[in-house]
Amino acid sequence: MSIDTRTWKAFAASHAPDFARTVFLPGLVADPGHLGRLIDDSLRTATRHAPADLRLRAFRPGAFDYRLTKRFVETPLADGESAIAWLARTADSDEACLAVNDVSSWNLDLGAEVARLVAELVADGTHELPSGTDVYTFVAHSGWTPFGIHKDSEPSLIFHLGPSPKEVWVWHDNPFDASGITPSPSFGRITFDIEEHLGSAERHLLQPGDFLCIPQDTYHVFRNLGPSAFLGLTLYPVKTRSLITEALWRAADPAQPLAAYPAAQAVTDRAHALLTDDDTPGASLADRVAHEITLGQLRLRTNGYLSRPHRAALPRTAPTPATPLRWSGPGAVAAAPHPDGTALVARGRSLTLPGHLDFTALEESTRSDAPFTLDELAATLPTALAPDRRDELARALYTLGAVIAP
């Protein structure tokens, strides 16, 4: 692991889940180059195999740049090219920079590294991350944060990877009067009057490997002193309404989708039917909604509260029978009852199997580091499944990323 585990555990024990104070941890990342290379590989996979799915934004000072964003999406990373070199090759200005969200979904190893970090933040078992975590990277060459002094509605956990240092200023009190503040739909309230306010801020100089936690709703700004990248974690607070709404829609499973532009009354009638239809066979709507929320949480838990791996990052073929394998992490699979049998969730994706199957032994086995082969994995699956179905399921666990090669 690339992180000083003891220091990270102490940070998590003292500050999670509220992260109410600015915390600077020098040298937390023991091998920043390793994390940087995993990010490079993630971007290479995304730009080569599914660029349309890449959540990338390019900026120039004070502005989001649509054309430059399109240029990055259409310019794959070359073999061995770093994100910093890609930025220099693709942009036409030292002050251009880019942000990529969900970067861990494009590389199984990066996802596993970050999942271990997040696991420590929920290790006490008294809280979870039911709305998930965004893993993002910010790559820049020089200059100030392009959207000025700003604040985020969630805490920001920043792992600086270098190679150049980066300056950060944090304001714990709000020193800005309304005349210098610009409303922003993405960043709340921001100001570009940067230098006149630096004297009232707390300053940190981040060297490669340093970590900084910035509390939510805390004004801050970065200045890049040369080419560098950082890995960031955004821990989302629970979004109750959206969780319940999505679960309700999944539970209702309407046979006919609404027209693209329905009359308002059609939407009202559909909503009323979903909530009052007592003739639906099987479990009640309330039970189905509860089941869908449970499944949604299992999808997050089995992938360490991160977005599930993109298909482009997953193996395309199963390994040979003798290949040594291991679990991607503790809890990489979980099972739950399903109206049609048993739902087996593997690293963020669900498989529905007929019958009420007991996967307790399989779930417990994910906590072991002992290697195993594909045949040995198949042998641990419920005997109620036919042998060929067990083999098929073992291969699926590999191609979904729950089982990986060492």
Side-chain angles (χ1 to χ4, degrees):
M1 191 174 181
S2 302
I3 303 296
D4 179 343
T5 306
R6 179 178 297 181
T7 301
W8 182 249
K9 285 178 179 286
F11 165 77
S14 300
H15 299 283
D18 299 323
F19 305 104
R21 293 196 298 109
T22 300
V23 181
F24 172 63
L25 300 176
L28 176 68
V29 185
D31 187 357
H34 173 65
L35 282 182
R37 288 186 292 274
L38 292 180
I39 291 173
D40 300 339
D41 288 340
S42 297
L43 295 173
R44 201 167 359 262
T45 296
T47 54
R48 289 185 176 188
H49 300 292
D53 295 338
L54 186 60
R55 295 180 57 201
L56 181 149
R57 295 165 296 156
F59 299 90
R60 298 189 190 278
F64 170 64
D65 192 317
Y66 289 92
R67 288 190 177 92
L68 185 58
T69 296
K70 183 173 183 289
R71 192 187 308 165
F72 276 111
V73 170
E74 294 176 346
T75 306
L77 273 73
D79 290 344
E81 187 175 35
S82 69
I84 291 169
W86 179 53
L87 172 70
R89 176 169 67 91
T90 308
D92 53 12
S93 168
D94 285 350
E95 293 193 318
C97 57
L98 62 92
V100 184
N101 297 89
D102 279 337
V103 69
S104 63
S105 65
W106 299 95
N107 183 283
L108 295 181
D109 291 332
L110 179 59
E113 288 265 4
V114 177
R116 285 193 286 271
L117 294 174
V118 174
E120 294 299 334
L121 304 180
V122 297
D124 65 1
T126 62
H127 62 278
E128 290 192 270
L129 297 169
S131 294
T133 305
D134 178 30
V135 184
Y136 64 98
T137 189
F138 199 88
V139 187
H141 187 282
S142 63
W144 297 101
T145 302
F147 26 86
I149 300 173
H150 65 286
K151 57 182 180 179
D152 302 306
S153 56
E154 303 88 16
S156 299
L157 280 63
I158 306 298
F159 303 82
H160 185 55
L161 306 179
S164 299
K166 182 188 294 284
E167 290 178 292
V168 188
W169 286 264
V170 180
W171 287 262
H172 296 289
D173 300 314
N174 182 1
F176 315 114
D177 60 46
S179 64
I181 293 292
T182 302
S184 165
S186 299
F187 299 100
R189 297 165 64 79
I190 63 177
T191 180
F192 290 99
D193 298 328
I194 296 175
E195 296 190 10
E196 66 184 78
H197 292 293
L198 297 181
S200 60
E202 174 186 299
R203 175 185 175 273
H204 296 277
L205 178 65
L206 301 184
Q207 299 288 351
D210 291 351
F211 167 83
L212 185 67
C213 170
I214 304 173
Q216 68 182 70
D217 295 326
T218 301
Y219 280 107
H220 59 280
V221 71
F222 295 91
R223 181 163 67 184
N224 306 293
L225 302 180
S228 66
F230 71 70
L231 181 75
L233 302 184
T234 298
L235 311 175
Y236 290 119
V238 62
K239 301 175 183 177
T240 308
R241 291 183 182 180
S242 60
L243 289 174
I244 294 176
T245 300
E246 181 180 356
L248 175 62
W249 188 252
R250 287 176 178 271
D253 192 22
Q256 296 295 327
L258 288 168
Y261 301 97
Q265 187 59 46
V267 179
T268 301
D269 292 345
R270 172 62 62 81
H272 185 268
L274 294 179
L275 295 172
T276 60
D277 184 7
D278 294 329
D279 299 326
T280 304
S284 69
L285 179 60
D287 288 340
R288 298 200 305 276
V289 169
H291 170 72
E292 289 297 337
I293 290 178
T294 298
L295 272 186
Q297 292 308 295
L298 289 181
R299 293 186 189 103
L300 273 174
R301 289 176 199 162
T302 56
N303 199 47
Y305 300 97
L306 313 180
S307 297
R308 68 187 187 184
H310 191 279
R311 287 287 182 183
L314 295 172
R316 290 166 177 78
T317 58
T320 62
T323 300
L325 305 172
R326 63 177 176 85
W327 292 104
S328 62
V333 297
H338 189 279
D340 298 324
T342 303
L344 184 65
V345 185
R347 201 156 182 185
R349 287 182 165 85
S350 306
L351 304 169
T352 303
L353 303 170
H356 298 290
L357 303 171
D358 184 2
F359 284 100
T360 304
L362 185 69
E363 292 175 302
E364 292 177 351
S365 73
T366 67
R367 312 201 177 273
S368 170
D369 293 329
F372 51 84
T373 65
L374 203 62
D375 289 344
E376 289 170 338
L377 174 61
T380 67
L381 297 174
T383 56
L385 295 171
D388 59 342
R389 186 69 181 95
R390 293 202 297 272
D391 291 342
E392 180 184 346
L393 184 54
R395 290 193 296 273
L397 292 175
Y398 177 81
T399 57
L400 292 177
V403 174
I404 60 178

